[in-house]
Amino acid sequence: MPRGQTREGTGRGGILLAELGVPLRDADERAAIYLTNALTGWGDGATISAPKDKRVGDGQMHSTLLFPEFAEERDAADRIKREEQILVVIGNPPYNGFAGMAVDEERSLSDAYRTTKLAPKPQGQGLNDLYVRFYRLAERQIAERSGRGVVCLISNYSWLDGLSFTGMRERLMEAFDSLWLDNLNGDKYKTGKLTPEGKPDPSIFSTEKNREGIQVGTAIGLLVRTSEAADPPRVRYRDVWGVSKLSALADDAKQRRITGYLGLEPSVEFGLPLVPLLVEDGYPAWPALADIFPWRTAGITTGRDDFVVDIDRPSLQARLDTYFDTAVSDATIAQSSPSAMRDTASLETGVQRRRALHGKGLDVENLTQFVYRPFDVRWLFWEPDTHLLDRARPEYRQEFAGQLWLAAVQRNRKDFDPPIASRGVLAYHVIERGAVLFPATRGQSGTLLDACSSRPNLSPTALQYFESMSLAVDGDRLMLHALAVMHSPLYAARNLGALRQDWPRIPLPRLRGALEDSSALGVRIAEALESDEGIKPLGLGTPTSATGTQLDPATDLAVTARWGIAGRDGICMPSTGKVTERDYTAVERAVIAEGAESLGMSAETAIALLGETCFDVYLNDVAYWRCVPANVWRYTIGGYQVIKKWLSYRERALLGRDLKPEEARYVTEMVRRIAALVLMQPELDANYERVKADVWEWGTGGTSSG
């Protein structure tokens, strides 16, 4: 135990122990506990050479003139950092993705993780999280200075598989012989704090007063280095779920028990994820979506949804007419539409409004339909001059022209959901946070997209693919093929681990007929995503009165079953709503059988796909949509139930009115469209099997057996 020179050097820990009745043995002995910034002061002394009354290099704002004991504490800690051999590093570092100010020594700790040798380069801002610095500090002390030892940290679990941490994982796998990983889950965003069985899965830090604990998932990383790091290291992983995870870990420790771990062989192609990776053998060789369609943009980012977006065109135009009225004051606008006059760091809304009003009025041509969420089309004021949009995306506007766009995300927060295709204007959050839009065709540089200037948005290798089959280059065809592949449940299930990591990878069929058949399926998917045109009515999801009488559009169409509630800043928060699950009636089974026959499918197969039960989905106590098949009701895109999400925005307390008859019928249309997508799944799976059995070898023009 380090010793001080005087009794005053016993440190604050020694004083506390004495007060608790367990003093240290010797008068000059101190507890080996130091008040210090653990991230700094490990160098050769250069970082601690400032005058004592000015030193703030270790992040502790103090004055030795007023508190000399702080200086003694700091100096003792610095000596330990520079002179003692560190063999064990344990802790629970802070989770904070916005680290704020930090001295150079601390801030530079994550620099070692910003480059890679073999793994894909890091993406995003995850390395700014404070806990990353502690991992780097521990790695440096154990692997580079002591040469042996143990690190055990509990932290945010994003480093296990996040795209920002490819360099971090690569470094840690080089530095340590063994990595033992306990994924404690409990994540609000990825799993909704539920186990795979749907039971509660709170944070490891839950308490009686705070049962949910922190929002993010956590993991314990136990990293061991014996002498020289093994190549490759031994990686062991296990999931720990449920409400009793803390007691389960404590029991394992008490019994000295090591059970339930899986051996992992992290894949370089997918960034060395330290989680189990479910993927088919041929998948890594297929091109990623971004390799096929090289140019992409983000969707429209509004930021002032309550002002520039509306379900009703007349309501949106009325707000904008007021905004562009020179007789209306800024204060009046702020009262009726607060977000329109909310200043930001880069925008003074009052100045902006005066500029917008100077010599111009509202151009109604800038009111456009807008795919706000899947199956949820609204109206948008899309006009870049006023800067009312956070991101107007002029490059998107230039390329738009009603062409086919594929909206996808590089990495779903939850399990993989298929992307959507649309010829409408798409929101940035159309699927989930940060949708990326791929066009099938591009305009020539600096020109609006038209028939004379268009060119396919295809990479050189994708162009080579068409050439190899003597086919005319067709971006739409390849995009629709990709859409069909990604909507196959078999594709998602067999490659779920890889799909959680990065862009979906798409097998390209070697045979022309396979490509044509696959793209034809993609056409049907795209049509169902856009409208119900051509979809046979199944008699499902019909607006119905609980009283047995005909619904009165004037009184019965208010959504009051608590599907949505108002959150902070006007955000709509989904709520529970009201549904009743039941068996199909004989009549409903007969209707489904008739529809299945027209598709060349047995009634039994159709019901197995749609779900063995159905839901009656209530608007209010009087009206409901009758017989929404279970798998239609549960159908998700971006982790959200499509119909439930649509309803949440239309709660009367949020919408300010009842549904219109055509809106009530639109829910029935959604039921038909989603049912059509669900019933296509066997065809999509068979198509995926056919395509991957004989693929074109990306980049060589050769063939592969699958």
Side-chain angles (χ1 to χ4, degrees), residues 485-509:
V485 168
M486 290 183 285
H487 273 258
S488 161
L490 199 62
Y491 167 83
R494 290 182 177 176
N495 301 294
L496 183 58
L499 289 166
R500 285 171 171 167
Q501 288 304 114
D502 208 343
W503 290 114
R505 293 174 179 259
I506 309 298
L508 303 183

PDB file of all heavy atoms in Angstrom, residues 485-509:
ATOM      1  N   VAL A 485     -35.825  -9.097 -52.866  1.00  0.00           N
ATOM      2  CA  VAL A 485     -34.941  -9.890 -52.002  1.00  0.00           C
ATOM      3  C   VAL A 485     -35.091  -9.467 -50.547  1.00  0.00           C
ATOM      4  O   VAL A 485     -35.221 -10.301 -49.639  1.00  0.00           O
ATOM      5  CB  VAL A 485     -33.469  -9.743 -52.461  1.00  0.00           C
ATOM      6  CG1 VAL A 485     -32.507 -10.307 -51.412  1.00  0.00           C
ATOM      7  CG2 VAL A 485     -33.259 -10.441 -53.797  1.00  0.00           C
ATOM      8  N   MET A 486     -35.085  -8.164 -50.300  1.00  0.00           N
ATOM      9  CA  MET A 486     -35.110  -7.681 -48.916  1.00  0.00           C
ATOM     10  C   MET A 486     -36.460  -7.880 -48.241  1.00  0.00           C
ATOM     11  O   MET A 486     -36.553  -7.817 -47.016  1.00  0.00           O
ATOM     12  CB  MET A 486     -34.695  -6.210 -48.877  1.00  0.00           C
ATOM     13  CG  MET A 486     -33.217  -5.994 -49.181  1.00  0.00           C
ATOM     14  SD  MET A 486     -32.688  -4.265 -49.046  1.00  0.00           S
ATOM     15  CE  MET A 486     -33.391  -3.570 -50.535  1.00  0.00           C
ATOM     16  N   HIS A 487     -37.515  -8.129 -49.008  1.00  0.00           N
ATOM     17  CA  HIS A 487     -38.823  -8.408 -48.419  1.00  0.00           C
ATOM     18  C   HIS A 487     -39.044  -9.897 -48.182  1.00  0.00           C
ATOM     19  O   HIS A 487     -40.117 -10.277 -47.692  1.00  0.00           O
ATOM     20  CB  HIS A 487     -39.939  -7.832 -49.296  1.00  0.00           C
ATOM     21  CG  HIS A 487     -40.259  -6.404 -48.992  1.00  0.00           C
ATOM     22  ND1 HIS A 487     -41.349  -6.012 -48.257  1.00  0.00           N
ATOM     23  CD2 HIS A 487     -39.591  -5.263 -49.295  1.00  0.00           C
ATOM     24  CE1 HIS A 487     -41.364  -4.694 -48.134  1.00  0.00           C
ATOM     25  NE2 HIS A 487     -40.308  -4.211 -48.764  1.00  0.00           N
ATOM     26  N   SER A 488     -38.074 -10.723 -48.490  1.00  0.00           N
ATOM     27  CA  SER A 488     -38.191 -12.152 -48.213  1.00  0.00           C
ATOM     28  C   SER A 488     -37.937 -12.409 -46.729  1.00  0.00           C
ATOM     29  O   SER A 488     -36.853 -12.101 -46.219  1.00  0.00           O
ATOM     30  CB  SER A 488     -37.173 -12.936 -49.049  1.00  0.00           C
ATOM     31  OG  SER A 488     -36.952 -14.228 -48.502  1.00  0.00           O
ATOM     32  N   PRO A 489     -38.895 -12.988 -45.997  1.00  0.00           N
ATOM     33  CA  PRO A 489     -38.643 -13.319 -44.585  1.00  0.00           C
ATOM     34  C   PRO A 489     -37.473 -14.284 -44.412  1.00  0.00           C
ATOM     35  O   PRO A 489     -36.748 -14.214 -43.416  1.00  0.00           O
ATOM     36  CB  PRO A 489     -39.963 -13.957 -44.133  1.00  0.00           C
ATOM     37  CG  PRO A 489     -40.997 -13.413 -45.065  1.00  0.00           C
ATOM     38  CD  PRO A 489     -40.282 -13.274 -46.386  1.00  0.00           C
ATOM     39  N   LEU A 490     -37.277 -15.171 -45.380  1.00  0.00           N
ATOM     40  CA  LEU A 490     -36.171 -16.127 -45.299  1.00  0.00           C
ATOM     41  C   LEU A 490     -34.828 -15.411 -45.377  1.00  0.00           C
ATOM     42  O   LEU A 490     -33.892 -15.736 -44.632  1.00  0.00           O
ATOM     43  CB  LEU A 490     -36.299 -17.137 -46.447  1.00  0.00           C
ATOM     44  CG  LEU A 490     -35.535 -18.448 -46.302  1.00  0.00           C
ATOM     45  CD1 LEU A 490     -36.022 -19.234 -45.100  1.00  0.00           C
ATOM     46  CD2 LEU A 490     -35.713 -19.271 -47.588  1.00  0.00           C
ATOM     47  N   TYR A 491     -34.727 -14.436 -46.256  1.00  0.00           N
ATOM     48  CA  TYR A 491     -33.502 -13.627 -46.362  1.00  0.00           C
ATOM     49  C   TYR A 491     -33.197 -12.942 -45.042  1.00  0.00           C
ATOM     50  O   TYR A 491     -32.058 -12.958 -44.563  1.00  0.00           O
ATOM     51  CB  TYR A 491     -33.694 -12.598 -47.476  1.00  0.00           C
ATOM     52  CG  TYR A 491     -32.664 -11.489 -47.522  1.00  0.00           C
ATOM     53  CD1 TYR A 491     -31.438 -11.679 -48.146  1.00  0.00           C
ATOM     54  CD2 TYR A 491     -32.942 -10.240 -46.958  1.00  0.00           C
ATOM     55  CE1 TYR A 491     -30.503 -10.645 -48.203  1.00  0.00           C
ATOM     56  CE2 TYR A 491     -32.024  -9.209 -47.013  1.00  0.00           C
ATOM     57  CZ  TYR A 491     -30.801  -9.417 -47.638  1.00  0.00           C
ATOM     58  OH  TYR A 491     -29.871  -8.397 -47.687  1.00  0.00           O
ATOM     59  N   ALA A 492     -34.221 -12.356 -44.422  1.00  0.00           N
ATOM     60  CA  ALA A 492     -34.008 -11.645 -43.160  1.00  0.00           C
ATOM     61  C   ALA A 492     -33.629 -12.607 -42.044  1.00  0.00           C
ATOM     62  O   ALA A 492     -32.723 -12.326 -41.249  1.00  0.00           O
ATOM     63  CB  ALA A 492     -35.262 -10.861 -42.790  1.00  0.00           C
ATOM     64  N   ALA A 493     -34.316 -13.748 -41.969  1.00  0.00           N
ATOM     65  CA  ALA A 493     -34.069 -14.684 -40.869  1.00  0.00           C
ATOM     66  C   ALA A 493     -32.680 -15.308 -40.950  1.00  0.00           C
ATOM     67  O   ALA A 493     -32.005 -15.474 -39.931  1.00  0.00           O
ATOM     68  CB  ALA A 493     -35.140 -15.777 -40.886  1.00  0.00           C
ATOM     69  N   ARG A 494     -32.241 -15.639 -42.152  1.00  0.00           N
ATOM     70  CA  ARG A 494     -30.959 -16.336 -42.291  1.00  0.00           C
ATOM     71  C   ARG A 494     -29.754 -15.404 -42.230  1.00  0.00           C
ATOM     72  O   ARG A 494     -28.625 -15.878 -42.060  1.00  0.00           O
ATOM     73  CB  ARG A 494     -30.942 -17.115 -43.609  1.00  0.00           C
ATOM     74  CG  ARG A 494     -31.884 -18.305 -43.615  1.00  0.00           C
ATOM     75  CD  ARG A 494     -31.791 -19.062 -44.924  1.00  0.00           C
ATOM     76  NE  ARG A 494     -32.639 -20.249 -44.926  1.00  0.00           N
ATOM     77  CZ  ARG A 494     -32.805 -21.038 -45.982  1.00  0.00           C
ATOM     78  NH1 ARG A 494     -32.170 -20.752 -47.130  1.00  0.00           N
ATOM     79  NH2 ARG A 494     -33.583 -22.095 -45.912  1.00  0.00           N
ATOM     80  N   ASN A 495     -29.983 -14.130 -42.386  1.00  0.00           N
ATOM     81  CA  ASN A 495     -28.861 -13.176 -42.390  1.00  0.00           C
ATOM     82  C   ASN A 495     -29.053 -12.068 -41.357  1.00  0.00           C
ATOM     83  O   ASN A 495     -28.476 -10.989 -41.493  1.00  0.00           O
ATOM     84  CB  ASN A 495     -28.717 -12.564 -43.794  1.00  0.00           C
ATOM     85  CG  ASN A 495     -28.463 -13.611 -44.848  1.00  0.00           C
ATOM     86  OD1 ASN A 495     -27.430 -14.262 -44.868  1.00  0.00           O
ATOM     87  ND2 ASN A 495     -29.436 -13.802 -45.724  1.00  0.00           N
ATOM     88  N   LEU A 496     -29.817 -12.366 -40.325  1.00  0.00           N
ATOM     89  CA  LEU A 496     -30.197 -11.334 -39.375  1.00  0.00           C
ATOM     90  C   LEU A 496     -28.993 -10.692 -38.701  1.00  0.00           C
ATOM     91  O   LEU A 496     -28.944  -9.472 -38.511  1.00  0.00           O
ATOM     92  CB  LEU A 496     -31.137 -11.910 -38.317  1.00  0.00           C
ATOM     93  CG  LEU A 496     -31.688 -10.919 -37.290  1.00  0.00           C
ATOM     94  CD1 LEU A 496     -32.434  -9.787 -37.977  1.00  0.00           C
ATOM     95  CD2 LEU A 496     -32.601 -11.632 -36.300  1.00  0.00           C
ATOM     96  N   GLY A 497     -27.994 -11.497 -38.342  1.00  0.00           N
ATOM     97  CA  GLY A 497     -26.826 -10.935 -37.673  1.00  0.00           C
ATOM     98  C   GLY A 497     -26.108  -9.915 -38.531  1.00  0.00           C
ATOM     99  O   GLY A 497     -25.750  -8.828 -38.067  1.00  0.00           O
ATOM    100  N   ALA A 498     -25.898 -10.251 -39.805  1.00  0.00           N
ATOM    101  CA  ALA A 498     -25.219  -9.322 -40.707  1.00  0.00           C
ATOM    102  C   ALA A 498     -26.081  -8.106 -41.005  1.00  0.00           C
ATOM    103  O   ALA A 498     -25.573  -6.989 -41.123  1.00  0.00           O
ATOM    104  CB  ALA A 498     -24.860 -10.045 -42.007  1.00  0.00           C
ATOM    105  N   LEU A 499     -27.393  -8.299 -41.109  1.00  0.00           N
ATOM    106  CA  LEU A 499     -28.288  -7.184 -41.396  1.00  0.00           C
ATOM    107  C   LEU A 499     -28.362  -6.205 -40.235  1.00  0.00           C
ATOM    108  O   LEU A 499     -28.709  -5.038 -40.422  1.00  0.00           O
ATOM    109  CB  LEU A 499     -29.688  -7.713 -41.721  1.00  0.00           C
ATOM    110  CG  LEU A 499     -29.807  -8.429 -43.077  1.00  0.00           C
ATOM    111  CD1 LEU A 499     -31.113  -9.202 -43.159  1.00  0.00           C
ATOM    112  CD2 LEU A 499     -29.689  -7.442 -44.224  1.00  0.00           C
ATOM    113  N   ARG A 500     -28.024  -6.660 -39.043  1.00  0.00           N
ATOM    114  CA  ARG A 500     -27.974  -5.759 -37.896  1.00  0.00           C
ATOM    115  C   ARG A 500     -26.710  -4.913 -37.902  1.00  0.00           C
ATOM    116  O   ARG A 500     -26.591  -3.964 -37.131  1.00  0.00           O
ATOM    117  CB  ARG A 500     -28.031  -6.573 -36.602  1.00  0.00           C
ATOM    118  CG  ARG A 500     -29.403  -7.129 -36.260  1.00  0.00           C
ATOM    119  CD  ARG A 500     -29.303  -8.081 -35.093  1.00  0.00           C
ATOM    120  NE  ARG A 500     -30.622  -8.476 -34.593  1.00  0.00           N
ATOM    121  CZ  ARG A 500     -30.822  -9.480 -33.758  1.00  0.00           C
ATOM    122  NH1 ARG A 500     -29.783 -10.182 -33.315  1.00  0.00           N
ATOM    123  NH2 ARG A 500     -32.032  -9.779 -33.345  1.00  0.00           N
ATOM    124  N   GLN A 501     -25.746  -5.275 -38.751  1.00  0.00           N
ATOM    125  CA  GLN A 501     -24.447  -4.621 -38.730  1.00  0.00           C
ATOM    126  C   GLN A 501     -24.272  -3.521 -39.767  1.00  0.00           C
ATOM    127  O   GLN A 501     -23.627  -2.512 -39.498  1.00  0.00           O
ATOM    128  CB  GLN A 501     -23.342  -5.667 -38.945  1.00  0.00           C
ATOM    129  CG  GLN A 501     -23.114  -6.573 -37.759  1.00  0.00           C
ATOM    130  CD  GLN A 501     -22.809  -5.803 -36.512  1.00  0.00           C
ATOM    131  OE1 GLN A 501     -23.582  -5.804 -35.569  1.00  0.00           O
ATOM    132  NE2 GLN A 501     -21.689  -5.116 -36.484  1.00  0.00           N
ATOM    133  N   ASP A 502     -24.783  -3.745 -40.972  1.00  0.00           N
ATOM    134  CA  ASP A 502     -24.444  -2.812 -42.049  1.00  0.00           C
ATOM    135  C   ASP A 502     -25.495  -2.916 -43.140  1.00  0.00           C
ATOM    136  O   ASP A 502     -26.474  -3.643 -43.019  1.00  0.00           O
ATOM    137  CB  ASP A 502     -23.043  -3.141 -42.577  1.00  0.00           C
ATOM    138  CG  ASP A 502     -22.323  -1.932 -43.161  1.00  0.00           C
ATOM    139  OD1 ASP A 502     -22.996  -0.922 -43.449  1.00  0.00           O
ATOM    140  OD2 ASP A 502     -21.093  -1.985 -43.326  1.00  0.00           O
ATOM    141  N   TRP A 503     -25.230  -2.210 -44.254  1.00  0.00           N
ATOM    142  CA  TRP A 503     -26.159  -2.212 -45.376  1.00  0.00           C
ATOM    143  C   TRP A 503     -26.528  -3.644 -45.779  1.00  0.00           C
ATOM    144  O   TRP A 503     -25.675  -4.527 -45.768  1.00  0.00           O
ATOM    145  CB  TRP A 503     -25.518  -1.543 -46.593  1.00  0.00           C
ATOM    146  CG  TRP A 503     -25.318  -0.075 -46.480  1.00  0.00           C
ATOM    147  CD1 TRP A 503     -24.122   0.578 -46.435  1.00  0.00           C
ATOM    148  CD2 TRP A 503     -26.320   0.940 -46.415  1.00  0.00           C
ATOM    149  NE1 TRP A 503     -24.318   1.934 -46.335  1.00  0.00           N
ATOM    150  CE2 TRP A 503     -25.670   2.184 -46.327  1.00  0.00           C
ATOM    151  CE3 TRP A 503     -27.718   0.918 -46.417  1.00  0.00           C
ATOM    152  CZ2 TRP A 503     -26.362   3.391 -46.234  1.00  0.00           C
ATOM    153  CZ3 TRP A 503     -28.404   2.119 -46.327  1.00  0.00           C
ATOM    154  CH2 TRP A 503     -27.725   3.332 -46.249  1.00  0.00           C
ATOM    155  N   PRO A 504     -27.783  -3.878 -46.156  1.00  0.00           N
ATOM    156  CA  PRO A 504     -28.142  -5.187 -46.701  1.00  0.00           C
ATOM    157  C   PRO A 504     -27.295  -5.503 -47.931  1.00  0.00           C
ATOM    158  O   PRO A 504     -26.959  -4.618 -48.724  1.00  0.00           O
ATOM    159  CB  PRO A 504     -29.620  -5.016 -47.082  1.00  0.00           C
ATOM    160  CG  PRO A 504     -30.109  -3.864 -46.266  1.00  0.00           C
ATOM    161  CD  PRO A 504     -28.932  -2.955 -46.095  1.00  0.00           C
ATOM    162  N   ARG A 505     -26.934  -6.768 -48.080  1.00  0.00           N
ATOM    163  CA  ARG A 505     -26.197  -7.236 -49.257  1.00  0.00           C
ATOM    164  C   ARG A 505     -27.157  -8.015 -50.152  1.00  0.00           C
ATOM    165  O   ARG A 505     -27.979  -8.801 -49.667  1.00  0.00           O
ATOM    166  CB  ARG A 505     -25.010  -8.098 -48.844  1.00  0.00           C
ATOM    167  CG  ARG A 505     -23.934  -7.287 -48.110  1.00  0.00           C
ATOM    168  CD  ARG A 505     -22.808  -8.159 -47.575  1.00  0.00           C
ATOM    169  NE  ARG A 505     -21.793  -7.354 -46.914  1.00  0.00           N
ATOM    170  CZ  ARG A 505     -20.623  -7.003 -47.450  1.00  0.00           C
ATOM    171  NH1 ARG A 505     -20.325  -7.417 -48.672  1.00  0.00           N
ATOM    172  NH2 ARG A 505     -19.765  -6.261 -46.786  1.00  0.00           N
ATOM    173  N   ILE A 506     -27.030  -7.812 -51.448  1.00  0.00           N
ATOM    174  CA  ILE A 506     -28.028  -8.296 -52.401  1.00  0.00           C
ATOM    175  C   ILE A 506     -27.390  -9.293 -53.373  1.00  0.00           C
ATOM    176  O   ILE A 506     -26.445  -8.942 -54.097  1.00  0.00           O
ATOM    177  CB  ILE A 506     -28.636  -7.128 -53.214  1.00  0.00           C
ATOM    178  CG1 ILE A 506     -29.110  -6.011 -52.277  1.00  0.00           C
ATOM    179  CG2 ILE A 506     -29.762  -7.642 -54.099  1.00  0.00           C
ATOM    180  CD1 ILE A 506     -30.198  -6.414 -51.318  1.00  0.00           C
ATOM    181  N   PRO A 507     -27.883 -10.526 -53.445  1.00  0.00           N
ATOM    182  CA  PRO A 507     -27.397 -11.460 -54.464  1.00  0.00           C
ATOM    183  C   PRO A 507     -27.955 -11.081 -55.838  1.00  0.00           C
ATOM    184  O   PRO A 507     -29.153 -10.831 -55.977  1.00  0.00           O
ATOM    185  CB  PRO A 507     -27.935 -12.813 -53.991  1.00  0.00           C
ATOM    186  CG  PRO A 507     -29.182 -12.467 -53.244  1.00  0.00           C
ATOM    187  CD  PRO A 507     -28.929 -11.124 -52.599  1.00  0.00           C
ATOM    188  N   LEU A 508     -27.091 -11.024 -56.830  1.00  0.00           N
ATOM    189  CA  LEU A 508     -27.525 -10.715 -58.197  1.00  0.00           C
ATOM    190  C   LEU A 508     -27.617 -12.007 -58.995  1.00  0.00           C
ATOM    191  O   LEU A 508     -26.628 -12.743 -59.116  1.00  0.00           O
ATOM    192  CB  LEU A 508     -26.534  -9.756 -58.865  1.00  0.00           C
ATOM    193  CG  LEU A 508     -26.288  -8.426 -58.150  1.00  0.00           C
ATOM    194  CD1 LEU A 508     -25.333  -7.555 -58.962  1.00  0.00           C
ATOM    195  CD2 LEU A 508     -27.588  -7.691 -57.874  1.00  0.00           C
ATOM    196  N   PRO A 509     -28.777 -12.319 -59.552  1.00  0.00           N
ATOM    197  CA  PRO A 509     -28.925 -13.588 -60.276  1.00  0.00           C
ATOM    198  C   PRO A 509     -28.103 -13.594 -61.567  1.00  0.00           C
ATOM    199  O   PRO A 509     -28.025 -12.585 -62.273  1.00  0.00           O
ATOM    200  CB  PRO A 509     -30.421 -13.657 -60.556  1.00  0.00           C
ATOM    201  CG  PRO A 509     -30.890 -12.242 -60.544  1.00  0.00           C
ATOM    202  CD  PRO A 509     -30.022 -11.528 -59.542  1.00  0.00           C
TER     203      PRO A 509
END
